[in-house]
Amino acid sequence: MVYTSLNHIQGKKGSRWAQFLRDIGTENLLVVAIDAAKFTHKAMVCNFYGDILVKPFEFDASMTGFDAIKRIIEIEKEKHGKEKVIVGIETTGHYYEDLVRRCHTVGYHVRIINAATTAQERQALLNWAKTDNLDLMAIVQSILHGRGTSSELSSGKVYTLQKLTRARRELVNEQTMTQNLIRMHMDHIFREYQGKSIWIKGKREHIKPFSDLFGKASLFMMRNYPHPSDILALGEAGLRKLSIRENLKLRDDCIKTLVEFAKESISQSKDHVEVELFLLTQKLDRLDLLKEQIKVLEEKIEDLFVETEGAMILSVPGIGVVTGAELFAEMGEISDFTHAGQLIKMAGTNPIVKQSGGRKPTYYGISKQGRRPFRNIVYQVGKSLSTNNPEMKEKYLALKDRGKLTGQAYIAIGNRMIRLAFSMIRNQTLYQTRQENYVLLKELSKKLRTKNVKKFYEKHVSLSSGLSA
């Protein structure tokens, strides 16, 4: 009998695990549970029926520690006549990764257990406590119930791309925090610099000197002339000369607004905000560094992404290099998935359905049971497509007409993109559209540097289909 993903209640993963047990026989299996940590791991050895053969013991997180646990495993394996060793390891930070690699090299069958799974197993033990011994019992229980995955650790270009995109996301978050601190310092130095409310014809309007607080002109002024007294010392004539000399392109209304706001500023004198001025300079330096680091990372991401099979999704209008790279990196290797719904579940953007008896199903919010970074990029993809892709924008508006909230519509469009990306990557097909003005070369030229446009055509576009596009 052939066991397919439809034969088991846990799908392909469950079918593979069940077949593994049938082939080896549960009586021939030795189960090792490992609770990974930074310096000292803890382990326990059992048979497949849960009988403890070696009580919980510690070993250090180094090669000497691994050799020690390997000796114990081999002794118990020979003592009890076991053929195969199953090692269950909880995904604790990144500390488990070296153990997984070493276990694979010596031929152990590794089951990687999600921390959320062990938490549920601890609850099943009806014990509110959390200790290393309870964690080991929860890992064993997870293995006995067929939880976890036998997949090896991510590697190759997809894994590298995931590390790069997540590193960029951290830098972007840090950049946002730095910008918020700059806003705070400017509130103390020149409160009105970010704008103020003015009554015009009985209505209150928010007037800002700069449309972009972190644009070239605004950053120059914050670094060199941040205080109202600096603006008043220059005056309108001095600001115009400065604008010409530094190519700031300050408009007349911007200059007049700056001078007017400086005259009426409620901020303290320059002597009283000396510390704020010092901290502002530091934060501006930090912002410049972050921008440069993000730029370098984005170039590296682009160079790598265009070489992967996931680069096909760059042919979709509304999907930029960074967004597309993040989506593909979080999807990972799709060869282990049979349909896009599995990826949607992995992201945790699948809707919760409740149904009982003959009643109609009720759809609640999304499950949020998957990876948070994956879920975040699905939302961002949906948001981008809803604005920049004409066909997806139609579907977005249709969802809004049906009463969907904005966030719900973004998630729905993001899920649709997962299905589209899954199909495009698996079949290695470019985006198909009814748009008359769509030209692949034009679309790619907006997103990629010239050398990478050429590389995309060489790697992903055939002479018969691509050059005519």
Side-chain angles (χ1 to χ4, degrees), residues 371-427:
R371 300 182 193 160
R372 180 177 293 177
F374 195 1
R375 188 160 58 252
N376 290 343
I377 192 58
V378 171
Y379 179 89
Q380 295 299 329
V381 164
K383 184 177 181 180
S384 177
L385 290 173
S386 299
T387 304
N388 303 309
N389 186 300
E391 291 166 326
M392 293 292 191
K393 187 174 183 179
E394 289 181 12
K395 299 183 186 301
Y396 167 77
L397 295 174
L399 288 168
K400 293 287 287 182
D401 290 340
R402 285 166 47 191
K404 297 292 183 183
L405 298 176
T406 301
Q408 293 174 325
Y410 287 160
I411 290 293
I413 297 299
N415 285 343
R416 182 179 288 272
M417 184 59 214
I418 288 178
R419 296 188 185 96
L420 177 61
F422 180 81
S423 176
M424 291 174 65
I425 295 170
R426 183 177 60 180
N427 302 315

Short mmCIF file of all heavy atoms in Angstrom, two decimals, residues 371-427:
data_model
loop_
_atom_site.label_atom_id
_atom_site.label_comp_id
_atom_site.label_asym_id
_atom_site.label_seq_id
_atom_site.Cartn_x
_atom_site.Cartn_y
_atom_site.Cartn_z
N ARG A 371 4.72 31.27 11.93
CA ARG A 371 5.88 32.13 12.16
C ARG A 371 5.50 33.60 12.08
O ARG A 371 4.91 34.03 11.09
CB ARG A 371 6.95 31.85 11.11
CG ARG A 371 7.48 30.44 11.07
CD ARG A 371 8.56 30.41 10.00
NE ARG A 371 8.94 29.06 9.63
CZ ARG A 371 9.55 28.77 8.50
NH1 ARG A 371 9.82 29.73 7.63
NH2 ARG A 371 9.89 27.52 8.22
N ARG A 372 5.89 34.35 13.08
CA ARG A 372 5.56 35.77 13.08
C ARG A 372 6.24 36.54 11.94
O ARG A 372 5.59 37.36 11.28
CB ARG A 372 5.93 36.40 14.42
CG ARG A 372 5.61 37.89 14.50
CD ARG A 372 5.92 38.45 15.86
NE ARG A 372 5.04 37.91 16.88
CZ ARG A 372 5.15 38.20 18.18
NH1 ARG A 372 6.10 39.01 18.59
NH2 ARG A 372 4.32 37.67 19.05
N PRO A 373 7.56 36.31 11.66
CA PRO A 373 8.18 37.04 10.55
C PRO A 373 7.48 36.76 9.21
O PRO A 373 7.33 37.66 8.38
CB PRO A 373 9.62 36.52 10.54
CG PRO A 373 9.87 36.04 11.92
CD PRO A 373 8.56 35.48 12.39
N PHE A 374 7.07 35.50 9.01
CA PHE A 374 6.35 35.14 7.79
C PHE A 374 5.01 35.87 7.73
O PHE A 374 4.62 36.43 6.71
CB PHE A 374 6.14 33.62 7.77
CG PHE A 374 5.72 33.07 6.42
CD1 PHE A 374 5.57 33.89 5.30
CD2 PHE A 374 5.48 31.70 6.27
CE1 PHE A 374 5.19 33.37 4.06
CE2 PHE A 374 5.11 31.18 5.04
CZ PHE A 374 4.95 32.01 3.95
N ARG A 375 4.31 35.89 8.86
CA ARG A 375 3.00 36.55 8.92
C ARG A 375 3.12 38.05 8.65
O ARG A 375 2.30 38.64 7.96
CB ARG A 375 2.38 36.29 10.29
CG ARG A 375 0.95 36.75 10.43
CD ARG A 375 0.26 36.05 11.58
NE ARG A 375 0.91 36.24 12.87
CZ ARG A 375 1.60 35.30 13.52
NH1 ARG A 375 1.76 34.11 12.97
NH2 ARG A 375 2.14 35.54 14.69
N ASN A 376 4.16 38.66 9.19
CA ASN A 376 4.36 40.10 8.98
C ASN A 376 4.59 40.44 7.51
O ASN A 376 4.04 41.42 7.00
CB ASN A 376 5.55 40.59 9.82
CG ASN A 376 5.25 40.58 11.30
OD1 ASN A 376 4.09 40.53 11.71
ND2 ASN A 376 6.28 40.63 12.13
N ILE A 377 5.39 39.61 6.82
CA ILE A 377 5.67 39.92 5.42
C ILE A 377 4.46 39.64 4.55
O ILE A 377 4.24 40.32 3.53
CB ILE A 377 6.92 39.16 4.92
CG1 ILE A 377 7.37 39.71 3.56
CG2 ILE A 377 6.66 37.68 4.82
CD1 ILE A 377 7.69 41.17 3.54
N VAL A 378 3.62 38.67 4.93
CA VAL A 378 2.38 38.42 4.18
C VAL A 378 1.49 39.67 4.23
O VAL A 378 0.91 40.08 3.22
CB VAL A 378 1.63 37.20 4.75
CG1 VAL A 378 0.23 37.08 4.12
CG2 VAL A 378 2.41 35.92 4.48
N TYR A 379 1.41 40.29 5.40
CA TYR A 379 0.63 41.53 5.54
C TYR A 379 1.22 42.63 4.68
O TYR A 379 0.49 43.34 3.97
CB TYR A 379 0.61 41.94 7.02
CG TYR A 379 -0.15 43.23 7.28
CD1 TYR A 379 -1.52 43.21 7.54
CD2 TYR A 379 0.50 44.46 7.26
CE1 TYR A 379 -2.21 44.39 7.79
CE2 TYR A 379 -0.18 45.64 7.50
CZ TYR A 379 -1.54 45.60 7.77
OH TYR A 379 -2.22 46.77 7.99
N GLN A 380 2.56 42.80 4.73
CA GLN A 380 3.20 43.85 3.94
C GLN A 380 3.03 43.62 2.45
O GLN A 380 2.82 44.58 1.69
CB GLN A 380 4.69 43.92 4.30
CG GLN A 380 4.98 44.35 5.72
CD GLN A 380 4.47 45.74 6.05
OE1 GLN A 380 4.41 46.62 5.18
NE2 GLN A 380 4.05 45.94 7.28
N VAL A 381 3.11 42.38 2.01
CA VAL A 381 2.91 42.05 0.59
C VAL A 381 1.49 42.40 0.17
O VAL A 381 1.27 43.00 -0.89
CB VAL A 381 3.20 40.55 0.35
CG1 VAL A 381 2.63 40.10 -0.98
CG2 VAL A 381 4.70 40.30 0.38
N GLY A 382 0.51 42.03 1.00
CA GLY A 382 -0.87 42.36 0.69
C GLY A 382 -1.11 43.85 0.61
O GLY A 382 -1.83 44.34 -0.28
N LYS A 383 -0.48 44.60 1.49
CA LYS A 383 -0.61 46.06 1.50
C LYS A 383 -0.02 46.67 0.23
O LYS A 383 -0.63 47.56 -0.39
CB LYS A 383 0.08 46.63 2.74
CG LYS A 383 -0.07 48.13 2.92
CD LYS A 383 0.58 48.58 4.21
CE LYS A 383 0.42 50.08 4.41
NZ LYS A 383 1.05 50.53 5.68
N SER A 384 1.16 46.18 -0.17
CA SER A 384 1.82 46.70 -1.36
C SER A 384 1.03 46.38 -2.62
O SER A 384 0.82 47.26 -3.48
CB SER A 384 3.23 46.13 -1.46
OG SER A 384 3.87 46.57 -2.64
N LEU A 385 0.57 45.14 -2.74
CA LEU A 385 -0.18 44.73 -3.93
C LEU A 385 -1.51 45.47 -4.04
O LEU A 385 -1.96 45.78 -5.15
CB LEU A 385 -0.42 43.23 -3.90
CG LEU A 385 0.81 42.34 -4.11
CD1 LEU A 385 0.45 40.88 -3.87
CD2 LEU A 385 1.38 42.52 -5.51
N SER A 386 -2.14 45.74 -2.91
CA SER A 386 -3.43 46.43 -2.92
C SER A 386 -3.33 47.83 -3.47
O SER A 386 -4.33 48.42 -3.90
CB SER A 386 -4.02 46.45 -1.50
OG SER A 386 -4.21 45.15 -1.01
N THR A 387 -2.13 48.38 -3.46
CA THR A 387 -1.91 49.74 -3.97
C THR A 387 -1.26 49.75 -5.34
O THR A 387 -1.64 50.54 -6.21
CB THR A 387 -1.02 50.52 -2.98
OG1 THR A 387 -1.61 50.51 -1.68
CG2 THR A 387 -0.84 51.97 -3.45
N ASN A 388 -0.30 48.85 -5.57
CA ASN A 388 0.57 48.94 -6.75
C ASN A 388 0.32 47.90 -7.83
O ASN A 388 0.97 47.95 -8.87
CB ASN A 388 2.04 48.83 -6.29
CG ASN A 388 2.40 49.89 -5.27
OD1 ASN A 388 2.16 51.07 -5.47
ND2 ASN A 388 2.99 49.47 -4.16
N ASN A 389 -0.58 46.97 -7.60
CA ASN A 389 -0.90 45.97 -8.62
C ASN A 389 -2.36 46.15 -9.04
O ASN A 389 -3.27 45.91 -8.24
CB ASN A 389 -0.67 44.56 -8.07
CG ASN A 389 -0.84 43.48 -9.13
OD1 ASN A 389 -1.90 43.34 -9.72
ND2 ASN A 389 0.21 42.71 -9.35
N PRO A 390 -2.63 46.58 -10.28
CA PRO A 390 -4.01 46.88 -10.71
C PRO A 390 -4.98 45.72 -10.51
O PRO A 390 -6.12 45.93 -10.06
CB PRO A 390 -3.84 47.21 -12.20
CG PRO A 390 -2.43 47.68 -12.33
CD PRO A 390 -1.66 46.86 -11.35
N GLU A 391 -4.56 44.51 -10.82
CA GLU A 391 -5.46 43.36 -10.69
C GLU A 391 -5.72 43.01 -9.22
O GLU A 391 -6.86 42.71 -8.84
CB GLU A 391 -4.86 42.16 -11.42
CG GLU A 391 -4.86 42.35 -12.94
CD GLU A 391 -3.97 41.36 -13.66
OE1 GLU A 391 -2.93 40.97 -13.11
OE2 GLU A 391 -4.31 41.00 -14.80
N MET A 392 -4.69 43.06 -8.41
CA MET A 392 -4.87 42.81 -6.99
C MET A 392 -5.66 43.94 -6.32
O MET A 392 -6.40 43.71 -5.36
CB MET A 392 -3.50 42.65 -6.30
CG MET A 392 -2.74 41.40 -6.72
SD MET A 392 -3.54 39.88 -6.15
CE MET A 392 -2.25 38.68 -6.50
N LYS A 393 -5.51 45.15 -6.84
CA LYS A 393 -6.25 46.28 -6.29
C LYS A 393 -7.75 46.08 -6.50
O LYS A 393 -8.57 46.42 -5.62
CB LYS A 393 -5.78 47.58 -6.94
CG LYS A 393 -6.38 48.83 -6.30
CD LYS A 393 -5.78 50.09 -6.88
CE LYS A 393 -6.32 51.33 -6.19
NZ LYS A 393 -5.71 52.57 -6.74
N GLU A 394 -8.13 45.53 -7.66
CA GLU A 394 -9.55 45.23 -7.90
C GLU A 394 -10.08 44.24 -6.88
O GLU A 394 -11.18 44.41 -6.34
CB GLU A 394 -9.71 44.65 -9.31
CG GLU A 394 -9.52 45.65 -10.44
CD GLU A 394 -9.71 45.00 -11.80
OE1 GLU A 394 -10.22 43.86 -11.84
OE2 GLU A 394 -9.34 45.63 -12.80
N LYS A 395 -9.31 43.21 -6.59
CA LYS A 395 -9.73 42.21 -5.61
C LYS A 395 -9.78 42.81 -4.21
O LYS A 395 -10.66 42.47 -3.41
CB LYS A 395 -8.78 41.01 -5.66
CG LYS A 395 -8.75 40.32 -7.02
CD LYS A 395 -7.87 39.11 -7.02
CE LYS A 395 -7.74 38.52 -8.43
NZ LYS A 395 -9.03 38.13 -9.01
N TYR A 396 -8.85 43.70 -3.91
CA TYR A 396 -8.84 44.37 -2.62
C TYR A 396 -10.11 45.21 -2.44
O TYR A 396 -10.77 45.15 -1.39
CB TYR A 396 -7.60 45.25 -2.50
CG TYR A 396 -7.63 46.24 -1.35
CD1 TYR A 396 -7.40 45.82 -0.05
CD2 TYR A 396 -7.90 47.59 -1.58
CE1 TYR A 396 -7.44 46.73 1.00
CE2 TYR A 396 -7.94 48.50 -0.54
CZ TYR A 396 -7.71 48.07 0.76
OH TYR A 396 -7.75 48.97 1.79
N LEU A 397 -10.46 45.99 -3.47
CA LEU A 397 -11.66 46.81 -3.40
C LEU A 397 -12.91 45.96 -3.29
O LEU A 397 -13.88 46.33 -2.59
CB LEU A 397 -11.73 47.73 -4.63
CG LEU A 397 -10.62 48.79 -4.73
CD1 LEU A 397 -10.71 49.54 -6.05
CD2 LEU A 397 -10.70 49.76 -3.56
N ALA A 398 -12.91 44.81 -3.95
CA ALA A 398 -14.05 43.90 -3.85
C ALA A 398 -14.21 43.37 -2.43
O ALA A 398 -15.32 43.24 -1.91
CB ALA A 398 -13.88 42.74 -4.83
N LEU A 399 -13.07 43.07 -1.79
CA LEU A 399 -13.11 42.61 -0.39
C LEU A 399 -13.63 43.70 0.52
O LEU A 399 -14.40 43.44 1.46
CB LEU A 399 -11.70 42.18 0.05
CG LEU A 399 -11.17 40.88 -0.55
CD1 LEU A 399 -9.67 40.74 -0.28
CD2 LEU A 399 -11.92 39.67 0.02
N LYS A 400 -13.21 44.96 0.27
CA LYS A 400 -13.69 46.08 1.08
C LYS A 400 -15.19 46.27 0.89
O LYS A 400 -15.91 46.56 1.86
CB LYS A 400 -12.94 47.35 0.68
CG LYS A 400 -11.46 47.36 1.03
CD LYS A 400 -11.24 47.52 2.52
CE LYS A 400 -11.54 48.93 2.98
NZ LYS A 400 -11.28 49.12 4.42
N ASP A 401 -15.68 46.09 -0.34
CA ASP A 401 -17.11 46.21 -0.60
C ASP A 401 -17.92 45.15 0.13
O ASP A 401 -19.10 45.35 0.45
CB ASP A 401 -17.38 46.13 -2.11
CG ASP A 401 -16.87 47.35 -2.86
OD1 ASP A 401 -16.67 48.40 -2.21
OD2 ASP A 401 -16.65 47.26 -4.09
N ARG A 402 -17.29 44.00 0.37
CA ARG A 402 -17.95 42.91 1.09
C ARG A 402 -17.93 43.13 2.60
O ARG A 402 -18.44 42.31 3.36
CB ARG A 402 -17.29 41.59 0.76
CG ARG A 402 -17.63 41.05 -0.62
CD ARG A 402 -16.70 39.93 -1.03
NE ARG A 402 -16.52 38.94 0.01
CZ ARG A 402 -15.59 37.98 -0.03
NH1 ARG A 402 -14.76 37.93 -1.07
NH2 ARG A 402 -15.49 37.11 0.95
N GLY A 403 -17.33 44.23 3.03
CA GLY A 403 -17.33 44.56 4.44
C GLY A 403 -16.08 44.17 5.20
O GLY A 403 -16.03 44.28 6.43
N LYS A 404 -15.04 43.71 4.48
CA LYS A 404 -13.80 43.33 5.15
C LYS A 404 -13.07 44.57 5.66
O LYS A 404 -13.06 45.62 4.99
CB LYS A 404 -12.88 42.56 4.19
CG LYS A 404 -13.45 41.23 3.71
CD LYS A 404 -13.54 40.23 4.83
CE LYS A 404 -14.03 38.89 4.31
NZ LYS A 404 -14.19 37.88 5.40
N LEU A 405 -12.46 44.44 6.82
CA LEU A 405 -11.63 45.52 7.34
C LEU A 405 -10.34 45.61 6.51
O LEU A 405 -9.96 44.65 5.83
CB LEU A 405 -11.28 45.26 8.80
CG LEU A 405 -12.47 45.20 9.78
CD1 LEU A 405 -11.96 44.84 11.17
CD2 LEU A 405 -13.21 46.52 9.82
N THR A 406 -9.66 46.74 6.59
CA THR A 406 -8.46 46.96 5.78
C THR A 406 -7.41 45.88 6.04
O THR A 406 -6.84 45.29 5.11
CB THR A 406 -7.86 48.34 6.06
OG1 THR A 406 -8.85 49.34 5.74
CG2 THR A 406 -6.62 48.58 5.22
N GLY A 407 -7.15 45.61 7.32
CA GLY A 407 -6.17 44.60 7.66
C GLY A 407 -6.55 43.21 7.16
O GLY A 407 -5.70 42.44 6.69
N GLN A 408 -7.83 42.88 7.26
CA GLN A 408 -8.30 41.59 6.78
C GLN A 408 -8.10 41.47 5.26
O GLN A 408 -7.71 40.41 4.76
CB GLN A 408 -9.78 41.41 7.12
CG GLN A 408 -10.06 41.28 8.61
CD GLN A 408 -11.56 41.24 8.91
OE1 GLN A 408 -12.36 41.90 8.24
NE2 GLN A 408 -11.93 40.47 9.92
N ALA A 409 -8.39 42.56 4.57
CA ALA A 409 -8.22 42.55 3.11
C ALA A 409 -6.75 42.40 2.73
O ALA A 409 -6.41 41.67 1.78
CB ALA A 409 -8.79 43.84 2.52
N TYR A 410 -5.86 43.07 3.47
CA TYR A 410 -4.43 42.93 3.19
C TYR A 410 -3.97 41.49 3.37
O TYR A 410 -3.20 40.96 2.55
CB TYR A 410 -3.62 43.84 4.12
CG TYR A 410 -3.69 45.32 3.79
CD1 TYR A 410 -3.36 46.28 4.75
CD2 TYR A 410 -4.09 45.76 2.53
CE1 TYR A 410 -3.41 47.64 4.46
CE2 TYR A 410 -4.16 47.11 2.24
CZ TYR A 410 -3.82 48.05 3.21
OH TYR A 410 -3.89 49.39 2.92
N ILE A 411 -4.42 40.85 4.43
CA ILE A 411 -4.05 39.45 4.69
C ILE A 411 -4.59 38.55 3.59
O ILE A 411 -3.89 37.64 3.10
CB ILE A 411 -4.58 38.98 6.06
CG1 ILE A 411 -3.81 39.66 7.20
CG2 ILE A 411 -4.48 37.46 6.20
CD1 ILE A 411 -2.38 39.25 7.31
N ALA A 412 -5.82 38.80 3.16
CA ALA A 412 -6.41 37.98 2.09
C ALA A 412 -5.62 38.12 0.79
O ALA A 412 -5.37 37.12 0.09
CB ALA A 412 -7.87 38.39 1.87
N ILE A 413 -5.21 39.35 0.45
CA ILE A 413 -4.41 39.56 -0.75
C ILE A 413 -3.03 38.92 -0.58
O ILE A 413 -2.47 38.33 -1.52
CB ILE A 413 -4.27 41.07 -1.05
CG1 ILE A 413 -5.65 41.69 -1.35
CG2 ILE A 413 -3.34 41.29 -2.23
CD1 ILE A 413 -6.35 41.10 -2.55
N GLY A 414 -2.46 39.02 0.63
CA GLY A 414 -1.18 38.38 0.90
C GLY A 414 -1.25 36.87 0.73
O GLY A 414 -0.35 36.25 0.16
N ASN A 415 -2.34 36.26 1.21
CA ASN A 415 -2.53 34.82 1.03
C ASN A 415 -2.67 34.45 -0.44
O ASN A 415 -2.17 33.42 -0.89
CB ASN A 415 -3.77 34.35 1.80
CG ASN A 415 -3.54 34.27 3.29
OD1 ASN A 415 -2.40 34.24 3.75
ND2 ASN A 415 -4.61 34.23 4.06
N ARG A 416 -3.34 35.30 -1.17
CA ARG A 416 -3.48 35.07 -2.62
C ARG A 416 -2.10 35.10 -3.29
O ARG A 416 -1.82 34.31 -4.20
CB ARG A 416 -4.40 36.14 -3.23
CG ARG A 416 -4.65 35.98 -4.72
CD ARG A 416 -5.59 37.06 -5.21
NE ARG A 416 -6.94 36.83 -4.74
CZ ARG A 416 -7.85 36.07 -5.38
NH1 ARG A 416 -7.52 35.49 -6.52
NH2 ARG A 416 -9.05 35.92 -4.90
N MET A 417 -1.23 36.01 -2.82
CA MET A 417 0.11 36.09 -3.38
C MET A 417 0.93 34.85 -3.03
O MET A 417 1.75 34.40 -3.83
CB MET A 417 0.81 37.36 -2.85
CG MET A 417 2.20 37.58 -3.46
SD MET A 417 2.15 37.73 -5.27
CE MET A 417 3.69 36.95 -5.71
N ILE A 418 0.71 34.28 -1.84
CA ILE A 418 1.41 33.04 -1.49
C ILE A 418 1.04 31.94 -2.48
O ILE A 418 1.90 31.20 -2.96
CB ILE A 418 1.05 32.60 -0.05
CG1 ILE A 418 1.71 33.54 0.97
CG2 ILE A 418 1.52 31.17 0.21
CD1 ILE A 418 1.38 33.21 2.41
N ARG A 419 -0.25 31.84 -2.80
CA ARG A 419 -0.69 30.81 -3.76
C ARG A 419 -0.07 31.06 -5.13
O ARG A 419 0.38 30.13 -5.81
CB ARG A 419 -2.22 30.82 -3.86
CG ARG A 419 -2.93 30.43 -2.56
CD ARG A 419 -4.42 30.26 -2.79
NE ARG A 419 -5.10 30.01 -1.53
CZ ARG A 419 -5.69 30.92 -0.78
NH1 ARG A 419 -5.65 32.20 -1.18
NH2 ARG A 419 -6.28 30.62 0.34
N LEU A 420 -0.05 32.33 -5.53
CA LEU A 420 0.52 32.68 -6.83
C LEU A 420 2.02 32.39 -6.85
O LEU A 420 2.54 31.81 -7.81
CB LEU A 420 0.25 34.15 -7.13
CG LEU A 420 0.84 34.71 -8.43
CD1 LEU A 420 0.27 33.97 -9.63
CD2 LEU A 420 0.56 36.21 -8.56
N ALA A 421 2.71 32.81 -5.78
CA ALA A 421 4.17 32.59 -5.70
C ALA A 421 4.49 31.10 -5.69
O ALA A 421 5.45 30.66 -6.34
CB ALA A 421 4.73 33.27 -4.46
N PHE A 422 3.71 30.31 -4.96
CA PHE A 422 3.93 28.86 -4.90
C PHE A 422 3.85 28.25 -6.29
O PHE A 422 4.69 27.45 -6.69
CB PHE A 422 2.89 28.23 -3.97
CG PHE A 422 3.03 26.74 -3.83
CD1 PHE A 422 3.95 26.18 -2.96
CD2 PHE A 422 2.23 25.88 -4.57
CE1 PHE A 422 4.09 24.81 -2.82
CE2 PHE A 422 2.34 24.51 -4.44
CZ PHE A 422 3.28 23.97 -3.57
N SER A 423 2.83 28.66 -7.05
CA SER A 423 2.64 28.14 -8.40
C SER A 423 3.76 28.59 -9.34
O SER A 423 4.30 27.79 -10.11
CB SER A 423 1.29 28.59 -8.95
OG SER A 423 1.12 28.18 -10.29
N MET A 424 4.14 29.87 -9.26
CA MET A 424 5.17 30.42 -10.14
C MET A 424 6.52 29.76 -9.88
O MET A 424 7.24 29.41 -10.82
CB MET A 424 5.27 31.94 -9.94
CG MET A 424 4.07 32.72 -10.45
SD MET A 424 4.18 34.48 -10.03
CE MET A 424 5.61 34.97 -10.99
N ILE A 425 6.87 29.57 -8.60
CA ILE A 425 8.17 28.99 -8.26
C ILE A 425 8.21 27.51 -8.61
O ILE A 425 9.18 27.01 -9.18
CB ILE A 425 8.47 29.21 -6.76
CG1 ILE A 425 8.61 30.71 -6.47
CG2 ILE A 425 9.75 28.48 -6.36
CD1 ILE A 425 8.66 31.05 -5.00
N ARG A 426 7.13 26.79 -8.27
CA ARG A 426 7.11 25.35 -8.54
C ARG A 426 7.17 25.06 -10.03
O ARG A 426 7.87 24.15 -10.48
CB ARG A 426 5.85 24.73 -7.93
CG ARG A 426 5.78 23.20 -8.11
CD ARG A 426 4.56 22.63 -7.44
NE ARG A 426 3.34 23.17 -8.01
CZ ARG A 426 2.11 22.83 -7.62
NH1 ARG A 426 1.97 21.97 -6.62
NH2 ARG A 426 1.05 23.36 -8.18
N ASN A 427 6.44 25.85 -10.83
CA ASN A 427 6.37 25.62 -12.28
C ASN A 427 7.36 26.47 -13.06
O ASN A 427 7.45 26.34 -14.28
CB ASN A 427 4.95 25.88 -12.78
CG ASN A 427 3.92 25.01 -12.09
OD1 ASN A 427 4.13 23.81 -11.94
ND2 ASN A 427 2.81 25.62 -11.67
#
